[in-house]
Amino acid sequence: MPLSFAEHADALYEAYSADAEGRLWTYLPYGPFADRPAFDAWLQASAASQGDPLFFTIIDHATQRPGGVCSYLRITPAAGSIEIGHLAYAPRLQRTTAATEAMFLLMRHAFELGYRRYEWKCNALNAPSRYAAERLGFQFEGIFRQAAVVKGRNRDTAWYSIIDQEWPALHRAFIQWLSPANFDADGRQRRSLTALRDETVAG
């Protein structure tokens, strides 16, 4: 749902506080935050952005607790291109079904709106982000060398995308993976998203 400072600030601050070492902010241009006022200033500015980037709060429907934020950005309707970014998952959201479902819902919404190219970009050193992109079905397009300076460090940027021609098969894979039948009584997946994706693409 849209990021709301009034509704989500307390829960997000509590969720992010579990990341005591601040690792989740390593490759982001902001954070970790020295104190609550610094966090609030960032979150309030993010929530106030009404165009590009457009921020969302990721909420686990099983618990109704916010677990992170993300945004659409570099929104270019004329080119049919949109990017997903500003991904900041608190520890309780990381590697969960809810995290994958959130990415699926945002992806589906973009293609339903008529976008034909859905982008993911990250620091080339950010191995977890690159793995996540590939697991979700993004295709690697290359490295833009020395693309930016973030927190005083060089950033080579890895580019990934999904295009509209690839979306129908990916959509089928996500639906199969998210089906309750794909999880056992302990919540463990029976078949991986990668396996289902490879099967639907091959089919």
Side-chain angles (χ1 to χ4, degrees), residues 156-173:
D156 295 340
T157 298
W159 283 53
Y160 294 84
S161 72
I162 296 168
I163 59 174
D164 52 359
Q165 297 173 22
E166 298 160 345
W167 173 240
L170 284 174
H171 183 273
R172 291 193 297 272

Side-chain angles (χ1 to χ4, degrees), residues 117-155:
R117 175 179 168 84
Y118 194 73
E119 297 180 335
W120 177 299
K121 303 186 188 84
C122 63
N123 191 308
L125 297 176
N126 190 347
S129 183
R130 297 185 66 173
Y131 170 79
E134 291 165 8
R135 173 180 172 270
L136 292 169
F138 286 83
Q139 299 297 309
F140 176 61
E141 295 183 326
I143 303 291
F144 278 41
R145 299 177 299 164
Q146 297 187 179
V149 176
V150 178
K151 295 177 178 174
R153 299 189 298 269
N154 175 64
R155 168 173 154 153

Side-chain angles (χ1 to χ4, degrees), residues 13 31-39:
Y13 185 75
F33 304 98
D35 51 31
R36 179 64 189 266
F39 172 81

Side-chain angles (χ1 to χ4, degrees), residues 1-10 12 16 30 33 38-57 68-72 86:
M1 66 183 302
L3 172 61
S4 166
F5 178 79
E7 294 180 37
H8 305 143
D10 289 344
L12 285 171
Y16 289 137
Y30 37 74
F33 304 98
F39 172 81
D40 283 353
W42 164 73
L43 195 69
Q44 198 158 25
S46 299
S49 175
Q50 296 299 312
D52 188 347
L54 183 61
F55 277 85
F56 299 90
T57 303
V69 303
C70 64
S71 80
Y72 288 139
H86 291 284

